């Protein structure tokens, strides 16, 4: 008889971590990497001791409340957990863990990539060359904005924002301003020569590049709306590697269309993987498919974090990354 805990993995993981999971647990993998349905999640909650969802899987109250649950822990592959109804998980006595810390640098790298792409019109230039439309170098062709020395405004100032600030300040000589309800630690402020803005509105007005680093969910839904976008300089760029619903997409499309801001770089979308039609035809927006943590090393480390949380749970130890 197999007495190992039964674990359900919702999507394909890096091979190295799937191998370890298979050694330790009676595991069901999603070898086809097919997106699963709410009914399949409910079934998993009823038939497995642990379920490991990821950021593209939706676990609303309706799913979490399924009767006759066997599952005791949702060990999420990802740091963001706005796809899980945490209140409902608590009410159902489900533990929830995530994977903080290991995707900080790779996500900050993607934010910096988008900032550079948007400022220097990278994606637009690539499209031009591929379309064989490039007529050759000339003094006024595809002029863009300087990154070096410009002001970077960070909304949210956690691990990823601070990593981006380090790259931007120490690598590109950028001036750092941030908004977060309480001031950051003095040693961090000193290292980055960072200035705290009293409000998001103040930051929107001052920054040449605004980068979003707050969690997703109801509390931050459309935090960046038409009114906020209109405060930005016409030369400024908006970068979003946080969650799509932090920005009112239709307001952003309007602003980009009317050239009220110079550009945007997006890695996340409202209702992803669907991307609003209006974004697809604009030249002044750079679009990536949620690549923030997508390096081999980072995704493997995320899997290892899930393994640590499962291991702790099944050996009765405190969970390293418990959120519920
Ligand atoms: C996360 O872990 O929340 C990220 O969005 C994945 O890249």
């Amino acid at each position: 008889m197999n007495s190992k805990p039964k674990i359900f993995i919702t999507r394909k993981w890096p091979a190295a971590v799937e191998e370890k999971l298979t050694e330790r647990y009676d595991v069901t993998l999603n070898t086809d990497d097919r997106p699963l349905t709410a009914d399949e999640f409910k079934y998993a909650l009823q038939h497995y001791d642990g379920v490991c969802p990821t950021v593209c899987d939706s676990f609303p109250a309706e799913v979490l409340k399924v009767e006759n649950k066997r599952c005791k822990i949702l060990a999420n592959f990802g740091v963001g957990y706005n796809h899980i109804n945490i209140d409902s998980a608590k009410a159902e006595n489900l533990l929830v863990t995530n994977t903080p810390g290991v995707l900080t640098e790779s996500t900050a790298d993607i934010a910096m990539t988008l900032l550079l792409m948007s400022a220097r019109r990278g994606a637009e230039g690539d499209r031009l060359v591929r379309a064989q439309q490039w007529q050759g170098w000339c003094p006024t062709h595809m002029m863009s904005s300087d990154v070096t020395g410009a002001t970077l405004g960070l909304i949210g100032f956690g691990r990823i924002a601070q990593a981006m600030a380090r790259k931007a300040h120490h690598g590109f000589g950028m001036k750092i301003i941030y908004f977060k309800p309480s001031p950051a630690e003095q040693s961090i402020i000193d290292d980055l020569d960072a200035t705290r803005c009293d409000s998001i509105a103040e930051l929107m007005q001052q920054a040449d590049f605004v980068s979003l680093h707050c969690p997703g969910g109801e509390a931050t839904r459309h935090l960046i709306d038409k009114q906020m976008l209109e405060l930005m300089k016409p030369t400024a760029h908006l970068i979003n590697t946080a969650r799509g619903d932090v920005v009112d997409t239709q307001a952003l499309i309007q602003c980009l269309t009317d050239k009220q801001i110079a550009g945007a770089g997006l890695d996340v979308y409202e209702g992803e993987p669907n991307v609003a039609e209006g974004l697809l035809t604009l030249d002044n927006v750079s679009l990536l498919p949620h690549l923030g943590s997508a390096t081999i090393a980072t995704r493997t480390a995320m899997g290892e974090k899930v393994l640590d949380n499962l291991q702790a749970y099944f050996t009765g130890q405190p969970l390293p990354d418990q959120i519920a």
Side-chain angles (χ1 to χ4, degrees), residues 54-55 76-83 99 103 107 160 241-243 267-268 272 290-294 298-299 302:
T54 188
V55 298
N76 184 52
F77 184 105
V79 69
Y81 47 85
N82 59 311
H83 55 291
T99 63
L103 45 81
T107 307
I160 297 171
T241 55
R243 283 294 181 264
D267 191 40
V268 288
E272 65 183 59
H290 204 148
L291 294 182
S293 60
T298 297
R299 290 283 165 84
M302 289 164 75

Side-chain angles (χ1 to χ4, degrees), residues 128-129 131-138 141:
L128 186 89
V129 175
Q132 299 184 309
Q133 296 295 311
W134 183 35
Q135 307 289 320
W137 191 94
C138 70
H141 184 226

